[in-house]
Amino acid sequence: MEAAVFILSLVDCCALIFLSVYFIITLSDLECDYINARACCSKLNKWVLPELIAQALPTVLMLVSMHWFVFLLNLPVAAWNIYRLVKVPMGNMGVFDPTEIHNRGQLKSHMKEAMIKLGFHLLCFFIYLYSMILALIND
């Protein structure tokens, strides 16, 4: 059971790593003017809810399986994703809005957030990998 939790979390973490890289590539394309703001925001907004669900899955799994350290490690990122989704102003297209993405340095902050999430998911990947190997050896 414990190994299955970490295997599922590891696969989920791989998907989140790829999603973070996709966000970074799309935002850098916007920064270099390879795509327009509307196309960029529509591409990224499609993946906000799946990212939220994919981040909440290992958080809930760790809570249910009573792995408190990993649960507490995942909780702030899951809470941040929920906060971001809830705080979208009325009238905006989504978390990424084409009319506001160039205002007040939002593009840079979105890029920084994507880089931080990539680093976090890489850290979680190795924690899940180590925990999975440890669980398989102990079983």
Side-chain angles (χ1 to χ4, degrees), residues 15-139:
L16 285 169
I17 288 171
F18 286 121
L19 194 58
S20 294
V21 170
Y22 176 73
F23 274 35
I24 291 168
I25 290 170
T26 306
L27 287 168
S28 65
D29 283 351
L30 176 64
E31 193 174 39
C32 295
D33 285 333
Y34 293 136
I35 59 175
N36 63 23
R38 186 166 180 83
C40 173
C41 293
S42 67
K43 285 181 181 181
L44 295 178
N45 281 328
K46 276 191 281 191
W47 292 102
V48 170
L49 191 59
E51 179 192 19
L52 173 80
I53 293 167
Q55 181 60 45
L57 178 69
T59 307
V60 171
L61 281 175
M62 296 306 157
L63 176 65
V64 170
S65 63
M66 295 185 289
H67 293 290
W68 302 115
F69 174 74
V70 184
F71 167 70
L72 291 174
L73 183 69
N74 279 312
L75 190 61
V77 177
W80 175 253
N81 284 339
I82 292 169
Y83 172 78
R84 249 185 6 151
L85 192 62
V86 169
K87 289 297 180 183
V88 173
M90 291 298 292
N92 278 13
M93 191 171 148
V95 173
F96 301 94
D97 190 58
T99 59
E100 294 183 1
I101 196 155
H102 290 293
N103 295 345
R104 299 183 313 270
Q106 275 192 4
L107 181 59
K108 290 289 183 191
S109 67
H110 286 311
M111 182 72 86
K112 185 171 34 171
E113 179 183 332
M115 293 283 202
I116 290 169
K117 283 184 181 180
L118 178 62
F120 172 77
H121 295 310
L122 285 171
L123 173 72
C124 285
F125 175 82
F126 289 109
I127 290 172
Y128 296 152
L129 184 65
Y130 174 77
S131 300
M132 179 196 70
I133 292 170
L134 202 61
L136 288 173
I137 289 173
N138 288 337
D139 281 349

